[in-house]
Amino acid sequence: MLNALAYVGVLTMEFFVVKGRLIANEMAPRVHNSGHWTIEGCVTSQFENICGADLRLAARQHARFGTYGP
């Protein structure tokens, strides 16, 4: 599909399995927002990491600040 669209860049696709069938729910030309928790919960957010990768910067630490929940 991406070749047919001549797409270049990040494209996130979200899928669900419904009654045994794979259903595409969302396509977005960005890092998926399910990782928003990394903004406050990790040393480096997923958004910083993807920008760094695009710019060919050295990998940064991605450790969590702690554990949450029970």
Side-chain angles (χ1 to χ4, degrees):
M1 181 174 83
L2 297 180
N3 288 338
L5 296 172
Y7 189 84
V8 175
V10 173
L11 180 68
T12 299
M13 300 174 74
E14 179 178 82
F15 295 94
F16 293 101
V17 177
V18 178
K19 296 180 182 178
R21 295 180 56 209
L22 190 62
I23 306 294
N25 178 61
E26 176 185 2
M27 289 175 42
R30 56 174 167 69
V31 179
H32 195 269
N33 58 4
S34 62
H36 276 197
W37 71 271
T38 64
I39 293 170
E40 301 295 331
C42 292
V43 174
T44 305
S45 78
Q46 69 170 359
F47 302 102
E48 290 176 272
N49 284 326
I50 194 70
C51 289
D54 288 345
L55 296 170
R56 299 192 188 326
L57 300 176
R60 299 186 62 195
Q61 186 179 16
H62 59 271
R64 295 182 303 190
F65 286 127
T67 52
Y68 304 93

